[in-house]
Amino acid sequence: MKRTLIAVLLIVLLSLPLTSALAQDGGDDDFACPNTGGTLVVAYGTDPRSLSGLYGNDGNSLFIITFMAEPLLLGGENWGDQIEPALAESWDISEDGLEYTFHLRQGVKWHDGEPFTAEDVLFTYEAVLLEENAIDWRPNLMQGDQPMQFEVVDDHTFKVRLNEPDATVLTALAIPIVPKHAFTSLEMLDAPYNTSPIATGPYKFVEWNTGENVVLEANQDYWRGAPCIDRLVVRFIEGAANQANALLAGELDYARVDGADLTPFENNPDFVLATAPRDLMRYVGFNVRSPKVSDPAVRRALAVALDRQAIIDAAAGGYGTLADSVFTSAAFMYEPGRNAQYPYDPALAQQMLADAGWTDTDGDGIVDKDGEKMSLRVVYLGTWSLMQAIAPLVYDNWRSIGVDVVLDPLDEAKSYEEIYDNVSEEKPYDVMLGGWGLFGPEPDHYRNYLVSPTGFFAYDNEEVQAMFEEGRRISDPDARYELYAEVDRLLWEDLPMIPLYQAVGAWVYRSDLNIDAAELNGTFLTGLKYPGRAYFEG
Amino acid sequence: MTDAALPLTMSEAETRPQWQIIWRQFRRHRLAVASAILLIALSLIAIFAEQVMPYDPNATNAVYAGGRPQPPTSEHIFGTDNFGRDYFSRAIVGARVSLFVAVSAVLFQITIGVVLGAAAGYFGGWADNLLMRITDIFLSIPSFFLLLIVSGVLGGSLLTLILLIGALNWMTLARLLRAEFLSLKERDFVVAAHCIGVPGWRLVLQHLLPNALAPIIVSATLSVPYAILTESALSFLGRGVPPPDASLGTMMENAQQWLRTSWWMWVVPGSIISVIVLSFNFVGDGLRDAFDPRLRR
């Protein structure tokens, strides 16, 4: 009752321009804009596929959607590295782990002024479950063949009932909520909403100029408090180098810049350069079924043969952290130093290969075993400049321990055929180079990619699969921590893929832009946890 | 029969001073001679690359480079790229690959051009018509885009590059040769040879082709720069020589990201491409002048 009163008061107060300091009270902590106004110009690759939070799961769309839309809670893919309340203020879990009750934030308004209620949440999840909508989030809400059960208790209480306990349900539910009243039916494949969205986030949609930009403006009724900056323009500029140039030319205020292009910003009084670890891992993946690399000892030897620091320097301009886990640091059980590092040591690598039975018996410089030469076909997406930078080093590092490497850069179509869309257990390569991320704190999100027999690595390890299975069933956080710590250790030992490095993002912005309170966080695609709290210093 | 051919071999002997005249003429073109010498030197370097290269062109040196291209020093006279690979060694290998691809492609395209052009010119009639329509069709294809597409489908390798560049550039020569044959066919010595029963293949090989050598040589020389530029352009677009091997085009591609900070990354491959292309053009010019009797004094 008291809470409702405060919320009502807040809504009244929000409409008064002078009370913005008080208005922030709806957020997690107090924040008052030291300065308001201005236009923030940021950039991302190209036109989004969709502006609906349910369809836009490519980088171009997600980037813009992150400024506008919100899920019930943070911590899902692209939504940070912590499970935290957002549109849901809190939640209770029943004893048997089958019922999740969400207490929704009161007084939240959609960008068109309508109140946000549990009906919207139900509508969103039902739309996701509707197969004709072809929404990629659908597996999140399925348990095997059975969908989760949803129920609206009252306007601000929402219940999720599971068929079996699943500890990953919180991050699975972290899907941007869409307003029921903006749709005529559950079918939304061609809904006008997809190009003119209404959401609850700090910025609201104004216009989308195809090929040019998307313009957003401050949501003065935002529950965390009105954003300090009035307008936000997302320009479409492809390539980090071009974005860096635009930043230098003063056409952008804020951008993530790649290592190679950072030189003009270092020690430059006009710009601030800030770094934060990103939820992205670059890796060398094995086709575990390939007889040449099916032995974990061989995979470990190949890991020791890689000068991964050199790869960080060459591929990322030094902006990366040497990986010591197959998970990124965003995973909740990640702990630096848990696993012993594979040090770069070519001599040791050669010894390890020899111990595994691979020696150069015919003197041609290539190690062999049982008459078969260690010749590895390494595939990667050839148009991805990052992979172009990693490949020559992998080639040279492995060649110097007597492993013949055939680099095969694939074009987009071929890479889908051989790697990304290849759901067969037979992979046409021995090794693939890749990068992935935005999995958030929940290690279960790695499961389909990392330990599935049809995943990139054709990795069929029943022990690890059983552990992932168990990880879903138990809900006790400590027990889960122990379990996944063990998974972490096991995978580091068995090495279906060699994690190279976790990317460290470098964000460059005008020196009069202050993003301290907006919290630079590399696990968000935008790099900002609270974009509404960025402001220009007067 | 063989006796009848005897006086015709005399004409071959007569051509010998002809070659001397051409050589004398060619020598007058100073730029062409200098270019020819340069090209011979480059070819020698390319052939003996293994002996000339100071480093393994694919060997990285991460500690030295630290992720950034390193400027020229006395140890790395052309500097290194961002992986610490010696740029001089890569330039040599790159020039070798580019020259090899270009020369092979031109040999291939000359073979096609000569066979089709000669057949069309010699047989005339419906064969001529058919072959020239095929030539027209090939001429109407925007060859660079076709190159891009086909190399994308087949994947980049030296052989596909050579075959592709060759297969898409024989048309000019075929037309040239057809015209040459048509006019040669009417000449007295050919008519005479025909009358005394010289077989067709011999007529073509011994009488017609040697007299059409000039346009073939000139066209070949002038095609090499085009082939080099095509190879570079394809490699630049990532459709050429597969990594980690260098070609001049892939070196240019890698240089893209370092244009601002590391001039040697693009100056080295860029100037080698320009030098080779210019040299071939000069030599081609010189040859054309030397072969052209109207320019002779």
Side-chain angles (χ1 to χ4, degrees), chain A residues 245 259 263 310 313-314 380 385 389 392-393 395-396 399 407 409 411, chain B residues 56 58-60 62 66-68 83 85 152 243-244 253 257-258 260:
Chain A
N245 281 336
T263 326
D313 290 342
Y380 54 96
S385 59
L393 287 161
Y395 171 89
D396 192 45
R399 193 183 53 155
L407 294 182
D411 61 18
Chain B
D56 176 345
N58 288 331
T60 58
R68 305 277 159 105
F83 302 105
R85 300 183 291 198
E253 189 205 358
Q257 292 163 2
W258 308 96
R260 249 196 315 241

PDB file of all heavy atoms in Angstrom, chain A residues 245 259 263 310 313-314 380 385 389 392-393 395-396 399 407 409 411, chain B residues 56 58-60 62 66-68 83 85 152 243-244 253 257-258 260:
ATOM      1  N   ASN A 245      37.303   7.174 -37.422  1.00  0.00           N
ATOM      2  CA  ASN A 245      37.490   8.387 -38.221  1.00  0.00           C
ATOM      3  C   ASN A 245      36.390   9.399 -37.951  1.00  0.00           C
ATOM      4  O   ASN A 245      36.641  10.590 -37.821  1.00  0.00           O
ATOM      5  CB  ASN A 245      37.516   8.036 -39.712  1.00  0.00           C
ATOM      6  CG  ASN A 245      38.858   7.483 -40.110  1.00  0.00           C
ATOM      7  OD1 ASN A 245      39.866   7.757 -39.467  1.00  0.00           O
ATOM      8  ND2 ASN A 245      38.874   6.686 -41.159  1.00  0.00           N
ATOM      9  N   GLY A 259      41.490  -2.012 -31.389  1.00  0.00           N
ATOM     10  CA  GLY A 259      42.874  -1.761 -30.995  1.00  0.00           C
ATOM     11  C   GLY A 259      43.698  -1.009 -32.019  1.00  0.00           C
ATOM     12  O   GLY A 259      44.356  -0.017 -31.693  1.00  0.00           O
ATOM     13  N   THR A 263      45.313   4.496 -31.787  1.00  0.00           N
ATOM     14  CA  THR A 263      46.483   5.362 -31.645  1.00  0.00           C
ATOM     15  C   THR A 263      46.146   6.856 -31.559  1.00  0.00           C
ATOM     16  O   THR A 263      46.639   7.536 -30.663  1.00  0.00           O
ATOM     17  CB  THR A 263      47.459   5.100 -32.804  1.00  0.00           C
ATOM     18  OG1 THR A 263      47.376   3.723 -33.141  1.00  0.00           O
ATOM     19  CG2 THR A 263      48.869   5.470 -32.440  1.00  0.00           C
ATOM     20  N   ALA A 310      50.621 -13.141 -28.304  1.00  0.00           N
ATOM     21  CA  ALA A 310      50.904 -12.553 -29.626  1.00  0.00           C
ATOM     22  C   ALA A 310      49.614 -12.392 -30.414  1.00  0.00           C
ATOM     23  O   ALA A 310      49.442 -11.419 -31.154  1.00  0.00           O
ATOM     24  CB  ALA A 310      51.888 -13.424 -30.391  1.00  0.00           C
ATOM     25  N   ASP A 313      47.917  -9.360 -29.204  1.00  0.00           N
ATOM     26  CA  ASP A 313      48.566  -8.154 -29.719  1.00  0.00           C
ATOM     27  C   ASP A 313      48.234  -7.927 -31.183  1.00  0.00           C
ATOM     28  O   ASP A 313      47.939  -6.802 -31.596  1.00  0.00           O
ATOM     29  CB  ASP A 313      50.093  -8.267 -29.553  1.00  0.00           C
ATOM     30  CG  ASP A 313      50.493  -8.191 -28.083  1.00  0.00           C
ATOM     31  OD1 ASP A 313      49.663  -7.718 -27.278  1.00  0.00           O
ATOM     32  OD2 ASP A 313      51.613  -8.614 -27.746  1.00  0.00           O
ATOM     33  N   ALA A 314      48.299  -9.001 -31.962  1.00  0.00           N
ATOM     34  CA  ALA A 314      48.115  -8.831 -33.402  1.00  0.00           C
ATOM     35  C   ALA A 314      46.648  -8.647 -33.770  1.00  0.00           C
ATOM     36  O   ALA A 314      46.307  -7.829 -34.614  1.00  0.00           O
ATOM     37  CB  ALA A 314      48.681 -10.034 -34.147  1.00  0.00           C
ATOM     38  N   TYR A 380      37.728 -20.721 -41.329  1.00  0.00           N
ATOM     39  CA  TYR A 380      37.205 -19.556 -40.623  1.00  0.00           C
ATOM     40  C   TYR A 380      36.484 -18.679 -41.623  1.00  0.00           C
ATOM     41  O   TYR A 380      36.644 -18.833 -42.834  1.00  0.00           O
ATOM     42  CB  TYR A 380      38.318 -18.789 -39.921  1.00  0.00           C
ATOM     43  CG  TYR A 380      39.468 -18.372 -40.809  1.00  0.00           C
ATOM     44  CD1 TYR A 380      39.514 -17.093 -41.360  1.00  0.00           C
ATOM     45  CD2 TYR A 380      40.512 -19.253 -41.101  1.00  0.00           C
ATOM     46  CE1 TYR A 380      40.567 -16.710 -42.177  1.00  0.00           C
ATOM     47  CE2 TYR A 380      41.562 -18.872 -41.920  1.00  0.00           C
ATOM     48  CZ  TYR A 380      41.586 -17.609 -42.446  1.00  0.00           C
ATOM     49  OH  TYR A 380      42.623 -17.226 -43.263  1.00  0.00           O
ATOM     50  N   SER A 385      37.727  -9.726 -40.293  1.00  0.00           N
ATOM     51  CA  SER A 385      39.115  -9.261 -40.206  1.00  0.00           C
ATOM     52  C   SER A 385      39.819  -9.822 -38.967  1.00  0.00           C
ATOM     53  O   SER A 385      41.024 -10.053 -38.967  1.00  0.00           O
ATOM     54  CB  SER A 385      39.164  -7.738 -40.206  1.00  0.00           C
ATOM     55  OG  SER A 385      38.426  -7.248 -39.122  1.00  0.00           O
ATOM     56  N   ALA A 389      43.339 -11.937 -38.841  1.00  0.00           N
ATOM     57  CA  ALA A 389      44.503 -11.575 -38.036  1.00  0.00           C
ATOM     58  C   ALA A 389      44.974 -12.740 -37.176  1.00  0.00           C
ATOM     59  O   ALA A 389      46.153 -12.845 -36.861  1.00  0.00           O
ATOM     60  CB  ALA A 389      44.174 -10.370 -37.159  1.00  0.00           C
ATOM     61  N   PRO A 392      47.157 -16.282 -39.460  1.00  0.00           N
ATOM     62  CA  PRO A 392      48.585 -16.449 -39.765  1.00  0.00           C
ATOM     63  C   PRO A 392      49.410 -16.866 -38.554  1.00  0.00           C
ATOM     64  O   PRO A 392      50.408 -17.568 -38.695  1.00  0.00           O
ATOM     65  CB  PRO A 392      49.018 -15.060 -40.250  1.00  0.00           C
ATOM     66  CG  PRO A 392      47.780 -14.368 -40.629  1.00  0.00           C
ATOM     67  CD  PRO A 392      46.698 -14.919 -39.753  1.00  0.00           C
ATOM     68  N   LEU A 393      48.992 -16.438 -37.352  1.00  0.00           N
ATOM     69  CA  LEU A 393      49.749 -16.803 -36.160  1.00  0.00           C
ATOM     70  C   LEU A 393      49.522 -18.262 -35.793  1.00  0.00           C
ATOM     71  O   LEU A 393      50.457 -18.971 -35.412  1.00  0.00           O
ATOM     72  CB  LEU A 393      49.356 -15.880 -34.997  1.00  0.00           C
ATOM     73  CG  LEU A 393      49.925 -14.473 -35.150  1.00  0.00           C
ATOM     74  CD1 LEU A 393      49.178 -13.492 -34.283  1.00  0.00           C
ATOM     75  CD2 LEU A 393      51.398 -14.475 -34.784  1.00  0.00           C
ATOM     76  N   TYR A 395      48.793 -20.542 -37.880  1.00  0.00           N
ATOM     77  CA  TYR A 395      49.548 -21.247 -38.913  1.00  0.00           C
ATOM     78  C   TYR A 395      51.012 -21.366 -38.535  1.00  0.00           C
ATOM     79  O   TYR A 395      51.584 -22.461 -38.520  1.00  0.00           O
ATOM     80  CB  TYR A 395      49.403 -20.476 -40.230  1.00  0.00           C
ATOM     81  CG  TYR A 395      50.292 -20.947 -41.357  1.00  0.00           C
ATOM     82  CD1 TYR A 395      49.879 -21.951 -42.224  1.00  0.00           C
ATOM     83  CD2 TYR A 395      51.548 -20.379 -41.559  1.00  0.00           C
ATOM     84  CE1 TYR A 395      50.684 -22.379 -43.252  1.00  0.00           C
ATOM     85  CE2 TYR A 395      52.369 -20.800 -42.585  1.00  0.00           C
ATOM     86  CZ  TYR A 395      51.931 -21.805 -43.433  1.00  0.00           C
ATOM     87  OH  TYR A 395      52.726 -22.232 -44.444  1.00  0.00           O
ATOM     88  N   ASP A 396      51.619 -20.238 -38.198  1.00  0.00           N
ATOM     89  CA  ASP A 396      53.065 -20.247 -37.953  1.00  0.00           C
ATOM     90  C   ASP A 396      53.417 -20.964 -36.649  1.00  0.00           C
ATOM     91  O   ASP A 396      54.390 -21.705 -36.579  1.00  0.00           O
ATOM     92  CB  ASP A 396      53.594 -18.809 -37.936  1.00  0.00           C
ATOM     93  CG  ASP A 396      55.111 -18.786 -37.970  1.00  0.00           C
ATOM     94  OD1 ASP A 396      55.683 -19.537 -38.785  1.00  0.00           O
ATOM     95  OD2 ASP A 396      55.724 -18.052 -37.188  1.00  0.00           O
ATOM     96  N   ARG A 399      52.961 -24.728 -37.262  1.00  0.00           N
ATOM     97  CA  ARG A 399      53.919 -25.216 -38.235  1.00  0.00           C
ATOM     98  C   ARG A 399      55.277 -25.429 -37.564  1.00  0.00           C
ATOM     99  O   ARG A 399      56.003 -26.361 -37.884  1.00  0.00           O
ATOM    100  CB  ARG A 399      54.036 -24.207 -39.370  1.00  0.00           C
ATOM    101  CG  ARG A 399      54.745 -24.729 -40.583  1.00  0.00           C
ATOM    102  CD  ARG A 399      54.866 -23.648 -41.617  1.00  0.00           C
ATOM    103  NE  ARG A 399      55.478 -22.448 -41.041  1.00  0.00           N
ATOM    104  CZ  ARG A 399      56.129 -21.550 -41.761  1.00  0.00           C
ATOM    105  NH1 ARG A 399      56.229 -21.681 -43.050  1.00  0.00           N
ATOM    106  NH2 ARG A 399      56.642 -20.481 -41.175  1.00  0.00           N
ATOM    107  N   LEU A 407      45.265 -23.272 -44.213  1.00  0.00           N
ATOM    108  CA  LEU A 407      44.269 -22.261 -43.875  1.00  0.00           C
ATOM    109  C   LEU A 407      43.229 -22.212 -44.985  1.00  0.00           C
ATOM    110  O   LEU A 407      43.560 -22.219 -46.157  1.00  0.00           O
ATOM    111  CB  LEU A 407      44.923 -20.889 -43.744  1.00  0.00           C
ATOM    112  CG  LEU A 407      45.906 -20.694 -42.596  1.00  0.00           C
ATOM    113  CD1 LEU A 407      46.409 -19.258 -42.592  1.00  0.00           C
ATOM    114  CD2 LEU A 407      45.259 -21.024 -41.260  1.00  0.00           C
ATOM    115  N   PRO A 409      40.103 -19.827 -45.649  1.00  0.00           N
ATOM    116  CA  PRO A 409      39.107 -18.792 -45.342  1.00  0.00           C
ATOM    117  C   PRO A 409      37.850 -19.027 -46.177  1.00  0.00           C
ATOM    118  O   PRO A 409      37.933 -19.169 -47.392  1.00  0.00           O
ATOM    119  CB  PRO A 409      39.820 -17.495 -45.762  1.00  0.00           C
ATOM    120  CG  PRO A 409      40.870 -17.904 -46.721  1.00  0.00           C
ATOM    121  CD  PRO A 409      41.230 -19.326 -46.427  1.00  0.00           C
ATOM    122  N   ASP A 411      33.935 -18.031 -47.546  1.00  0.00           N
ATOM    123  CA  ASP A 411      33.045 -16.876 -47.682  1.00  0.00           C
ATOM    124  C   ASP A 411      31.793 -17.139 -46.836  1.00  0.00           C
ATOM    125  O   ASP A 411      31.632 -18.200 -46.244  1.00  0.00           O
ATOM    126  CB  ASP A 411      32.726 -16.588 -49.156  1.00  0.00           C
ATOM    127  CG  ASP A 411      32.017 -17.752 -49.835  1.00  0.00           C
ATOM    128  OD1 ASP A 411      31.481 -18.617 -49.129  1.00  0.00           O
ATOM    129  OD2 ASP A 411      31.999 -17.793 -51.072  1.00  0.00           O
TER     130      ASP A 411
ATOM    131  N   ASP B  56      62.086 -16.530 -43.722  1.00  0.00           N
ATOM    132  CA  ASP B  56      60.903 -17.264 -44.151  1.00  0.00           C
ATOM    133  C   ASP B  56      59.738 -16.263 -44.215  1.00  0.00           C
ATOM    134  O   ASP B  56      59.424 -15.614 -43.212  1.00  0.00           O
ATOM    135  CB  ASP B  56      60.615 -18.374 -43.122  1.00  0.00           C
ATOM    136  CG  ASP B  56      59.339 -19.132 -43.451  1.00  0.00           C
ATOM    137  OD1 ASP B  56      58.544 -18.637 -44.277  1.00  0.00           O
ATOM    138  OD2 ASP B  56      59.149 -20.209 -42.882  1.00  0.00           O
ATOM    139  N   ASN B  58      56.637 -16.500 -44.149  1.00  0.00           N
ATOM    140  CA  ASN B  58      55.454 -16.749 -43.323  1.00  0.00           C
ATOM    141  C   ASN B  58      55.782 -16.859 -41.840  1.00  0.00           C
ATOM    142  O   ASN B  58      54.911 -17.122 -41.019  1.00  0.00           O
ATOM    143  CB  ASN B  58      54.743 -18.027 -43.774  1.00  0.00           C
ATOM    144  CG  ASN B  58      54.048 -17.836 -45.103  1.00  0.00           C
ATOM    145  OD1 ASN B  58      53.631 -16.727 -45.423  1.00  0.00           O
ATOM    146  ND2 ASN B  58      53.962 -18.889 -45.875  1.00  0.00           N
ATOM    147  N   ALA B  59      57.067 -16.690 -41.488  1.00  0.00           N
ATOM    148  CA  ALA B  59      57.459 -16.812 -40.084  1.00  0.00           C
ATOM    149  C   ALA B  59      57.111 -15.533 -39.340  1.00  0.00           C
ATOM    150  O   ALA B  59      57.496 -14.442 -39.741  1.00  0.00           O
ATOM    151  CB  ALA B  59      58.955 -17.095 -39.989  1.00  0.00           C
ATOM    152  N   THR B  60      56.348 -15.680 -38.277  1.00  0.00           N
ATOM    153  CA  THR B  60      55.961 -14.510 -37.498  1.00  0.00           C
ATOM    154  C   THR B  60      57.006 -14.237 -36.423  1.00  0.00           C
ATOM    155  O   THR B  60      57.771 -15.123 -36.047  1.00  0.00           O
ATOM    156  CB  THR B  60      54.600 -14.739 -36.823  1.00  0.00           C
ATOM    157  OG1 THR B  60      54.708 -15.900 -35.995  1.00  0.00           O
ATOM    158  CG2 THR B  60      53.519 -14.973 -37.854  1.00  0.00           C
ATOM    159  N   ALA B  62      56.315 -12.306 -33.095  1.00  0.00           N
ATOM    160  CA  ALA B  62      55.370 -11.527 -32.305  1.00  0.00           C
ATOM    161  C   ALA B  62      56.093 -10.590 -31.342  1.00  0.00           C
ATOM    162  O   ALA B  62      55.660  -9.464 -31.124  1.00  0.00           O
ATOM    163  CB  ALA B  62      54.450 -12.462 -31.537  1.00  0.00           C
ATOM    164  N   GLY B  66      55.058  -6.868 -31.753  1.00  0.00           N
ATOM    165  CA  GLY B  66      54.151  -6.383 -30.718  1.00  0.00           C
ATOM    166  C   GLY B  66      52.801  -5.967 -31.274  1.00  0.00           C
ATOM    167  O   GLY B  66      52.154  -5.066 -30.757  1.00  0.00           O
ATOM    168  N   GLY B  67      52.365  -6.615 -32.352  1.00  0.00           N
ATOM    169  CA  GLY B  67      51.040  -6.339 -32.882  1.00  0.00           C
ATOM    170  C   GLY B  67      50.969  -5.144 -33.811  1.00  0.00           C
ATOM    171  O   GLY B  67      49.921  -4.828 -34.338  1.00  0.00           O
ATOM    172  N   ARG B  68      52.083  -4.436 -33.996  1.00  0.00           N
ATOM    173  CA  ARG B  68      52.084  -3.281 -34.901  1.00  0.00           C
ATOM    174  C   ARG B  68      53.143  -3.488 -35.983  1.00  0.00           C
ATOM    175  O   ARG B  68      54.189  -4.068 -35.708  1.00  0.00           O
ATOM    176  CB  ARG B  68      52.424  -1.987 -34.140  1.00  0.00           C
ATOM    177  CG  ARG B  68      51.534  -1.708 -32.948  1.00  0.00           C
ATOM    178  CD  ARG B  68      50.244  -1.032 -33.398  1.00  0.00           C
ATOM    179  NE  ARG B  68      49.201  -1.194 -32.385  1.00  0.00           N
ATOM    180  CZ  ARG B  68      48.803  -0.226 -31.563  1.00  0.00           C
ATOM    181  NH1 ARG B  68      49.357   0.952 -31.645  1.00  0.00           N
ATOM    182  NH2 ARG B  68      47.855  -0.439 -30.686  1.00  0.00           N
ATOM    183  N   PHE B  83      52.487  -8.869 -37.934  1.00  0.00           N
ATOM    184  CA  PHE B  83      52.806 -10.158 -37.322  1.00  0.00           C
ATOM    185  C   PHE B  83      54.313 -10.332 -37.165  1.00  0.00           C
ATOM    186  O   PHE B  83      54.769 -11.387 -36.737  1.00  0.00           O
ATOM    187  CB  PHE B  83      52.272 -11.312 -38.174  1.00  0.00           C
ATOM    188  CG  PHE B  83      50.789 -11.254 -38.390  1.00  0.00           C
ATOM    189  CD1 PHE B  83      50.253 -10.869 -39.603  1.00  0.00           C
ATOM    190  CD2 PHE B  83      49.929 -11.586 -37.359  1.00  0.00           C
ATOM    191  CE1 PHE B  83      48.898 -10.819 -39.796  1.00  0.00           C
ATOM    192  CE2 PHE B  83      48.562 -11.541 -37.544  1.00  0.00           C
ATOM    193  CZ  PHE B  83      48.040 -11.153 -38.765  1.00  0.00           C
ATOM    194  N   ARG B  85      56.342 -10.429 -39.734  1.00  0.00           N
ATOM    195  CA  ARG B  85      56.874 -11.149 -40.895  1.00  0.00           C
ATOM    196  C   ARG B  85      57.682 -10.177 -41.742  1.00  0.00           C
ATOM    197  O   ARG B  85      57.246  -9.047 -41.997  1.00  0.00           O
ATOM    198  CB  ARG B  85      55.710 -11.743 -41.716  1.00  0.00           C
ATOM    199  CG  ARG B  85      54.886 -12.710 -40.903  1.00  0.00           C
ATOM    200  CD  ARG B  85      53.799 -13.355 -41.714  1.00  0.00           C
ATOM    201  NE  ARG B  85      52.736 -12.410 -42.092  1.00  0.00           N
ATOM    202  CZ  ARG B  85      51.530 -12.809 -42.499  1.00  0.00           C
ATOM    203  NH1 ARG B  85      51.242 -14.090 -42.587  1.00  0.00           N
ATOM    204  NH2 ARG B  85      50.616 -11.925 -42.823  1.00  0.00           N
ATOM    205  N   GLY B 152      34.910 -16.842 -56.315  1.00  0.00           N
ATOM    206  CA  GLY B 152      34.214 -17.071 -55.058  1.00  0.00           C
ATOM    207  C   GLY B 152      33.634 -18.469 -54.987  1.00  0.00           C
ATOM    208  O   GLY B 152      33.680 -19.131 -53.955  1.00  0.00           O
ATOM    209  N   PRO B 243      45.670 -17.335 -47.803  1.00  0.00           N
ATOM    210  CA  PRO B 243      46.634 -17.052 -46.758  1.00  0.00           C
ATOM    211  C   PRO B 243      47.297 -18.334 -46.265  1.00  0.00           C
ATOM    212  O   PRO B 243      46.725 -19.401 -46.459  1.00  0.00           O
ATOM    213  CB  PRO B 243      45.773 -16.415 -45.661  1.00  0.00           C
ATOM    214  CG  PRO B 243      44.406 -16.955 -45.898  1.00  0.00           C
ATOM    215  CD  PRO B 243      44.297 -17.152 -47.383  1.00  0.00           C
ATOM    216  N   PRO B 244      48.439 -18.268 -45.638  1.00  0.00           N
ATOM    217  CA  PRO B 244      49.171 -17.052 -45.272  1.00  0.00           C
ATOM    218  C   PRO B 244      50.124 -16.590 -46.360  1.00  0.00           C
ATOM    219  O   PRO B 244      50.876 -15.653 -46.138  1.00  0.00           O
ATOM    220  CB  PRO B 244      49.956 -17.519 -44.047  1.00  0.00           C
ATOM    221  CG  PRO B 244      50.267 -18.947 -44.337  1.00  0.00           C
ATOM    222  CD  PRO B 244      49.099 -19.482 -45.111  1.00  0.00           C
ATOM    223  N   GLU B 253      46.040  -5.604 -49.371  1.00  0.00           N
ATOM    224  CA  GLU B 253      44.839  -5.780 -48.559  1.00  0.00           C
ATOM    225  C   GLU B 253      45.170  -5.642 -47.074  1.00  0.00           C
ATOM    226  O   GLU B 253      44.500  -4.942 -46.331  1.00  0.00           O
ATOM    227  CB  GLU B 253      44.215  -7.151 -48.833  1.00  0.00           C
ATOM    228  CG  GLU B 253      42.858  -7.309 -48.187  1.00  0.00           C
ATOM    229  CD  GLU B 253      42.470  -8.742 -47.917  1.00  0.00           C
ATOM    230  OE1 GLU B 253      43.257  -9.647 -48.267  1.00  0.00           O
ATOM    231  OE2 GLU B 253      41.400  -8.945 -47.339  1.00  0.00           O
ATOM    232  N   GLN B 257      44.555  -1.596 -43.152  1.00  0.00           N
ATOM    233  CA  GLN B 257      44.278  -1.160 -41.786  1.00  0.00           C
ATOM    234  C   GLN B 257      45.394  -0.294 -41.205  1.00  0.00           C
ATOM    235  O   GLN B 257      45.285   0.188 -40.099  1.00  0.00           O
ATOM    236  CB  GLN B 257      44.075  -2.380 -40.888  1.00  0.00           C
ATOM    237  CG  GLN B 257      42.821  -3.110 -41.248  1.00  0.00           C
ATOM    238  CD  GLN B 257      42.790  -4.500 -40.701  1.00  0.00           C
ATOM    239  OE1 GLN B 257      43.703  -4.922 -40.004  1.00  0.00           O
ATOM    240  NE2 GLN B 257      41.751  -5.241 -41.009  1.00  0.00           N
ATOM    241  N   TRP B 258      46.472  -0.161 -41.946  1.00  0.00           N
ATOM    242  CA  TRP B 258      47.615   0.560 -41.385  1.00  0.00           C
ATOM    243  C   TRP B 258      48.015   1.733 -42.263  1.00  0.00           C
ATOM    244  O   TRP B 258      49.142   2.216 -42.187  1.00  0.00           O
ATOM    245  CB  TRP B 258      48.801  -0.402 -41.226  1.00  0.00           C
ATOM    246  CG  TRP B 258      48.430  -1.637 -40.488  1.00  0.00           C
ATOM    247  CD1 TRP B 258      48.076  -2.841 -41.022  1.00  0.00           C
ATOM    248  CD2 TRP B 258      48.340  -1.800 -39.079  1.00  0.00           C
ATOM    249  NE1 TRP B 258      47.789  -3.732 -40.030  1.00  0.00           N
ATOM    250  CE2 TRP B 258      47.933  -3.118 -38.821  1.00  0.00           C
ATOM    251  CE3 TRP B 258      48.561  -0.943 -37.993  1.00  0.00           C
ATOM    252  CZ2 TRP B 258      47.742  -3.616 -37.537  1.00  0.00           C
ATOM    253  CZ3 TRP B 258      48.372  -1.443 -36.712  1.00  0.00           C
ATOM    254  CH2 TRP B 258      47.966  -2.761 -36.500  1.00  0.00           C
ATOM    255  N   ARG B 260      47.348   4.838 -42.296  1.00  0.00           N
ATOM    256  CA  ARG B 260      47.711   6.084 -41.640  1.00  0.00           C
ATOM    257  C   ARG B 260      49.057   6.015 -40.957  1.00  0.00           C
ATOM    258  O   ARG B 260      49.842   6.944 -40.999  1.00  0.00           O
ATOM    259  CB  ARG B 260      46.646   6.429 -40.596  1.00  0.00           C
ATOM    260  CG  ARG B 260      45.824   7.619 -40.961  1.00  0.00           C
ATOM    261  CD  ARG B 260      45.095   8.119 -39.748  1.00  0.00           C
ATOM    262  NE  ARG B 260      44.507   6.988 -39.011  1.00  0.00           N
ATOM    263  CZ  ARG B 260      43.201   6.847 -38.805  1.00  0.00           C
ATOM    264  NH1 ARG B 260      42.378   7.727 -39.254  1.00  0.00           N
ATOM    265  NH2 ARG B 260      42.733   5.825 -38.124  1.00  0.00           N
TER     266      ARG B 260
END
